[in-house]
Amino acid sequence: MGVELKIAYAGGRVERVARHFEDQTASGVVYKCAEDACIAVKNEEVDFAVVPVETSALGSINANYDLLLKHNLYVIAEYDLPKAGLALVHGVDVASYTQFLLLSKRGDLAWNAKSDNGDFKTSVVFGFKNSSDKGMLNRALEVFLRYELELIRIDSRPWADQAPQPYRSEIVADSCKYEYLFYVDLQGHLTGANMAAAIRRLQEICSFVRILGSYGTSRGEKAIKLAELSLGSTRIGTGTIRTMDTKYPLNPVFQKMTVAKTMLIHGQTKQMEADGKKVWSLCVGEPDNNPHEHVLAAGAKALIEGNVKYSHMKGLVELRGLISTYLEKAKGLKYDPATEVLVSNGAQQSVFQALYTVCLPGQKVIIPTPYWLNYPEIVKLVYAEPIPLRTLLEDDYLINPAELEKTLMAHPDAKAIILCNPSNPSGKLHSP
């Protein structure tokens, strides 16, 4: 059994909020102040901290926002509590709503959270080496406009005290001028194509960008169950194992990808063969015979002669010349070997590079069925969306022009179509 999950919070009325994050898997631990609760998470004394960050009456609680960067924590859930009683003016509670954040040390939890209502929010903080440069903030905000992201909130905070240590040396020391960090909340999840592309562009123009979390929004009295959020303990205890994927989380785009079943089956057949079992595999399509002897001899000769160094990044100059000559003689197609021929490590690399070059995030790529199972995953990897184009047995699994037109009309933003000719796996050949 693993350790019991623990939630840290500052005493008083925050206890009412902490109960909304508690269930049978967790218990609360009271600390003197919000920073002490965050330090407890950082030191792995507890798993989570609940801190208030905004009231509808008085606005942002900036000191608590600063704690996220100061202690390298992530947001994994939010909760808006009516009449929390945290905003006092002349001793009178004036707050209609107070927003609380559930914080964790684990970055992977910050973008694996779920949402009951399907609404997600992504929190990002960014800054510039010199925010007084004209137009820098405008350039950053234009990124969100370009990728059609709804900007829910923006705040600024002085950089010097809150930026991670490696960045502080870049700050210009000027008593008359402050450098700022900008906190923004964007509508949508981090794994969305437009969101991912916007973050990537933001990293190109800013000197500092950090994703604080991508999490489901929650309002009302319904308690947030930690088990439903698929959360886990970060502390080391009996039965708790710190794995590499929890300590060093992967790019969230891989959450959308699946391993092709052909590759899984192929791996199983190879393992069975290694175990000494006889296997007749109908999985991966590959030749039954070995390469011709003159091909093997040429490969051996190249190794012996020392042709094992890095070649031109586009492929061997001689090879590209031969490819160009072959295409012209065999198919009447003329390509410049210096600028129009590229040698890759296989079709999968070529398909990825082509789509990565021409597709903008969110654009559609049409894939006729039946198709090689890796095609949709390659499309997802470039933040595009795969659209299947159905073909039928009665059409000999060839593309029906009427169905193609119908698909294009339904998806006018389609950028590309993957046409494997002859088809894999049907083997059918489209005429020129």
Side-chain angles (χ1 to χ4, degrees), residues 210-226:
R210 181 167 181 254
I211 301 167
L212 298 176
S214 197
Y215 46 94
T217 60
S218 177
R219 297 178 182 273
E221 294 291 342
K222 182 179 178 181
I224 297 177
K225 302 296 184 182
L226 296 181

Side-chain angles (χ1 to χ4, degrees), residues 134-144 201-202 205:
K134 291 183 178 180
M136 289 302 296
L137 181 57
N138 285 341
R139 288 179 61 193
L141 296 180
E142 284 173 357
V143 171
F144 308 135
R201 175 57 182 152
L202 200 63
I205 64 176

Side-chain angles (χ1 to χ4, degrees), residues 254-432:
F254 286 98
Q255 297 173 20
K256 289 189 171 185
M257 300 181 64
T258 58
V259 179
K261 289 183 173 58
T262 51
M263 294 295 101
L264 292 175
I265 297 173
H266 183 61
Q268 292 175 355
T269 61
K270 290 301 180 183
Q271 183 60 53
M272 293 170 67
E273 290 175 349
D275 294 339
K277 298 178 181 178
K278 182 66 175 177
V279 180
W280 286 268
S281 175
L282 302 178
C283 176
V284 176
E286 56 186 356
D288 295 328
N289 56 293
N290 291 326
H292 290 290
E293 290 186 3
H294 71 277
V295 175
L296 296 174
K301 182 173 180 290
L303 292 174
I304 293 172
E305 293 179 351
N307 293 326
V308 293
K309 306 297 183 182
Y310 285 115
S311 67
H312 192 287
M313 65 178 181
K314 295 181 181 180
L316 289 170
V317 175
E318 300 85 353
L319 176 58
R320 285 184 283 130
L322 291 172
I323 292 173
S324 177
T325 300
Y326 166 78
L327 290 174
E328 185 173 5
K329 289 182 177 180
K331 300 186 178 182
L333 302 173
K334 192 168 184 178
Y335 292 101
D336 183 350
T339 60
E340 297 179 307
V341 177
L342 178 67
V343 180
S344 73
N345 293 311
Q348 189 166 189
Q349 178 188 342
S350 294
V351 171
F352 170 80
Q353 289 176 324
L355 294 178
Y356 191 77
T357 302
V358 303
C359 290
L360 295 177
Q363 289 185 325
K364 313 290 178 58
V365 177
I366 297 173
I367 309 175
T369 63
Y371 50 73
W372 183 45
L373 295 177
N374 278 15
Y375 286 150
E377 307 311 315
I378 295 173
V379 172
K380 295 175 188 176
L381 196 58
V382 302
Y383 299 99
E385 180 182 350
I387 302 296
L389 170 61
R390 188 183 180 193
T391 63
L392 303 174
L393 175 61
E394 49 264 37
D395 293 328
D396 213 16
Y397 292 118
L398 298 175
I399 295 176
N400 185 307
E403 284 296 320
L404 176 59
E405 182 179 11
K406 181 180 177 181
T407 302
L408 290 173
M409 292 294 291
H411 303 282
D413 57 342
K415 184 69 173 183
I417 179 170
I418 297 178
L419 180 59
C420 182
N421 201 33
S423 169
N424 178 8
S426 72
K428 300 303 179 179
L429 181 67
H430 286 82
S431 59

Side-chain angles (χ1 to χ4, degrees), residues 69-348:
L69 278 186
K70 184 176 181 180
H71 300 295
N72 199 29
L73 301 181
Y74 297 90
V75 184
I76 56 175
E78 71 168 18
Y79 188 77
D80 288 355
L81 186 66
K83 299 180 180 179
L86 294 180
L88 300 178
V89 177
H90 302 299
V92 179
D93 176 13
V94 296
S96 297
Y97 273 89
T98 300
Q99 184 182 85
F100 296 84
L101 299 180
L102 182 65
L103 307 180
S104 170
K105 185 178 179 179
R106 283 178 52 182
D108 58 323
L109 300 183
W111 31 81
N112 284 342
K114 300 177 181 178
S115 171
D116 288 335
N117 55 19
D119 293 332
F120 285 93
K121 179 188 293 185
T122 297
S123 296
V124 182
V125 57
F126 60 90
F128 314 100
K129 288 184 179 180
N130 189 351
S131 57
S132 63
D133 288 347
K134 291 183 178 180
M136 289 302 296
L137 181 57
N138 285 341
R139 288 179 61 193
L141 296 180
E142 284 173 357
V143 171
F144 308 135
L145 178 63
R146 174 184 176 185
Y147 290 102
E148 300 180 341
L149 296 175
E150 187 72 23
L151 182 63
I152 303 173
R153 166 184 166 272
I154 180 169
D155 273 329
S156 63
R157 296 287 293 147
W159 182 325
D161 293 333
Q162 308 307 328
Q165 191 65 41
Y167 297 92
R168 294 184 188 176
S169 61
E170 300 176 353
I171 301 169
V172 179
D174 187 338
S175 59
C176 299
K177 179 177 63 180
Y178 292 92
E179 299 304 318
Y180 287 91
L181 289 173
F182 298 93
Y183 290 78
V184 296
D185 287 343
L186 303 164
Q187 186 173 325
H189 196 272
L190 180 63
T191 55
N194 283 14
M195 183 72 73
I199 298 299
R200 194 165 57 215
R201 175 57 182 152
L202 200 63
Q203 291 169 334
E204 294 174 357
I205 64 176
C206 298
S207 55
F208 169 66
V209 177
R210 181 167 181 254
I211 301 167
L212 298 176
S214 197
Y215 46 94
T217 60
S218 177
R219 297 178 182 273
E221 294 291 342
K222 182 179 178 181
I224 297 177
K225 302 296 184 182
L226 296 181
E228 294 177 0
L229 290 173
S230 300
L231 306 180
S233 176
T234 62
R235 294 174 293 123
I236 299 177
T238 304
T240 302
I241 301 175
R242 294 288 295 276
T243 59
M244 291 295 290
D245 61 335
T246 58
K247 191 173 182 181
Y248 304 104
L250 299 176
N251 187 325
V253 72
F254 286 98
Q255 297 173 20
K256 289 189 171 185
M257 300 181 64
T258 58
V259 179
K261 289 183 173 58
T262 51
M263 294 295 101
L264 292 175
I265 297 173
H266 183 61
Q268 292 175 355
T269 61
K270 290 301 180 183
Q271 183 60 53
M272 293 170 67
E273 290 175 349
D275 294 339
K277 298 178 181 178
K278 182 66 175 177
V279 180
W280 286 268
S281 175
L282 302 178
C283 176
V284 176
E286 56 186 356
D288 295 328
N289 56 293
N290 291 326
H292 290 290
E293 290 186 3
H294 71 277
V295 175
L296 296 174
K301 182 173 180 290
L303 292 174
I304 293 172
E305 293 179 351
N307 293 326
V308 293
K309 306 297 183 182
Y310 285 115
S311 67
H312 192 287
M313 65 178 181
K314 295 181 181 180
L316 289 170
V317 175
E318 300 85 353
L319 176 58
R320 285 184 283 130
L322 291 172
I323 292 173
S324 177
T325 300
Y326 166 78
L327 290 174
E328 185 173 5
K329 289 182 177 180
K331 300 186 178 182
L333 302 173
K334 192 168 184 178
Y335 292 101
D336 183 350
T339 60
E340 297 179 307
V341 177
L342 178 67
V343 180
S344 73
N345 293 311
Q348 189 166 189

